Amino acid sequence: MLRIAIQAKGRLNEESIALLAEAGITVEEGKRKLLTRSADFDVEVLYLRDDDIPQAVAMGVADLGIVGLNEVEEKEQRVEIIHPLGFGKCRLSIAVPKSEDYADVRWLEGKRVATSYPVILRHFLDEKGVKAEIHEIAGSVEIAPVVGMADAIFDIVSSGATLITNGLREVETVLKSEAVMIAHPALAGDKKKLLAQLLFRLEAVERSRGLKYVLMNLPDERIAAATAVLPGMKSPTVLPLALPGWSSFHVVIREKELWTKIEQLKSLGAEDILVLSLEKMIR
Ligand code: PRT
Ligand code: ZN
């Protein structure tokens, strides 16, 4: 049995559940308690505040956790970061009132910086040799300069809209973050086995991202030319149609080159092109 801690509610909750579901681990949302057992994989899901996930995993209360890299770095708990998950992307940045003439980090010398991430900020300032006062506040960090509580802030930025609304300008990006899978550093053998199985499934899901399965009807004499345009993974699959002289041509395409490739295939005589989404790719 593997116990995975995920955020109970908040920005990472839905995507964490969706990711587990894609890996074949479904948890009943309706009856959600602190702890839910998955019906289809030897896994239990523990719902926590994101702040508590690194510690829960370090203590072994949970074997794995899904949490923002920002929380992992801030809490400095002994956990292993085993896999980036590609969602919850954001950055931890320093921002100053936009009227300030900020040239470089020396501007921060002797200033007051408000943040909910004092540990990461302390490391950054020490590394840069800057002495500034860190004011730890729990929420609404972005209003601290307006109300005169701080000269600058250090906070999570995603689109940057919150900074703009509060008359702030991002001046230093300190950490790029996304949701990551973390693990207890000393998992027992049977748990390691389950983890390997889970990672294998997640990789199959990831590999299929941005890929489409395309099939079309093609005159037989155009198969070689179409294969040159779209070599596929090993080679395209070609199946005869009941209509003599025609084949069905199947191949996997990257979504970003879908339209250019389809135009080339159409000019080669491809007809009745179907584009299907690809759910998993297992190697
Ligand atoms: O209750 P709990 O403690 O579990 O949740 P929480 O309120 O501490 O965290 P939550 O749900 O807000 O965020 C969870 C995680 O999502 C964070 O730790 C980050 O890893 C990640 N994440 C991704 C973000 C954002 N994007 C984000 N935009 N977390 C917060 N924000 C905030 C940001 O602080 C800003 O104030 O959203 C606001 C809007 O951002 P802009 O730049 O798009 O305007
Ligand atoms: Zn939190």
Side-chain angles (χ1 to χ4, degrees):
M1 165 85 72
L2 206 53
R3 189 182 281 171
I4 309 181
I6 69 169
Q7 195 188 22
K9 43 182 191 283
R11 282 168 208 270
L12 303 181
N13 168 266
E14 268 182 34
E15 280 176 286
S16 302
I17 291 174
L19 184 82
L20 293 176
E22 282 184 299
I25 301 168
T26 47
V27 279
E28 269 183 70
E29 274 230 53
K31 282 196 263 163
R32 204 203 286 167
K33 295 163 277 189
L34 177 64
L35 196 62
T36 322
R37 194 157 176 181
S38 165
D40 36 24
F41 196 76
D42 200 9
V43 156
E44 241 175 12
V45 175
L46 176 65
Y47 298 92
L48 294 178
R49 283 200 58 185
D50 67 346
D51 313 58
D52 298 331
I53 293 175
Q55 194 186 10
V57 172
M59 288 169 66
V61 171
D63 305 305
L64 301 179
I66 296 179
V67 67
L69 179 65
N70 50 308
E71 288 298 330
V72 180
E73 299 278 318
E74 180 64 24
K75 298 298 189 287
E76 295 189 306
Q77 293 284 333
R78 273 198 65 222
V79 296
E80 261 173 50
I81 298 170
I82 49 173
H83 205 68
L85 298 172
F87 63 89
K89 288 196 176 165
C90 59
R91 52 199 190 272
L92 267 174
S93 295
I94 295 175
V96 302
K98 63 174 189 289
S99 55
E100 290 295 335
D101 207 5
Y102 183 102
D104 58 46
V105 285
R106 281 172 297 179
W107 183 93
L108 293 164
E109 189 69 41
K111 299 280 203 307
R112 298 162 304 162
V113 189
T115 188
S116 315
Y117 294 91
V119 173
I120 299 173
L121 179 59
R122 169 63 58 217
H123 285 316
F124 175 77
L125 294 173
D126 287 352
E127 195 185 295
K128 298 288 178 188
V130 172
K131 289 206 169 53
E133 237 181 83
I134 298 176
H135 281 247
E136 185 176 353
I137 52 178
S140 305
V141 171
E142 65 281 357
I143 63 162
V146 190
V147 300
M149 270 174 72
D151 305 299
I153 66 161
F154 176 59
D155 199 9
I156 295 178
V157 182
S158 166
S159 65
T162 303
L163 295 184
I164 292 170
T165 312
N166 290 284
L168 299 166
R169 177 164 66 97
E170 190 176 356
V171 292
E172 304 284 345
T173 302
V174 175
L175 177 77
K176 290 211 166 116
S177 180
E178 65 182 278
V180 292
M181 170 95 69
I182 56 173
H184 183 69
L187 287 181
D190 56 329
K191 291 183 190 275
K192 272 197 185 141
K193 239 188 198 162
L194 283 169
L195 173 59
Q197 226 176 321
L198 177 61
L199 288 177
F200 176 83
R201 293 180 179 198
L202 290 179
E203 274 155 22
V205 173
E206 276 159 20
R207 218 175 282 124
S208 71
R209 284 211 180 109
L211 295 179
K212 295 286 170 194
Y213 191 77
V214 181
L215 45 156
M216 68 205 73
N217 293 329
L218 195 68
D220 287 343
E221 68 274 15
R222 295 299 167 85
I223 289 169
T227 305
V229 172
L230 279 177
M233 286 189 295
K234 263 198 192 64
S235 83
T237 303
V238 180
L239 301 169
L241 290 192
L243 181 69
W246 284 80
S247 291
S248 172
F249 184 91
H250 301 205
V251 74
V252 172
I253 304 192
R254 301 212 157 275
E255 192 165 18
K256 59 177 191 283
E257 49 180 26
L258 184 72
W259 290 109
T260 41
K261 296 288 188 188
I262 282 186
E263 279 149 17
Q264 291 174 38
L265 291 161
K266 269 195 82 68
S267 67
L268 283 174
E271 292 178 6
D272 312 317
I273 303 173
L274 301 179
V275 179
L276 310 180
S277 57
L278 209 154
E279 228 179 86
K280 309 219 168 34
M281 185 149 125
I282 296 154
R283 286 222 146 124

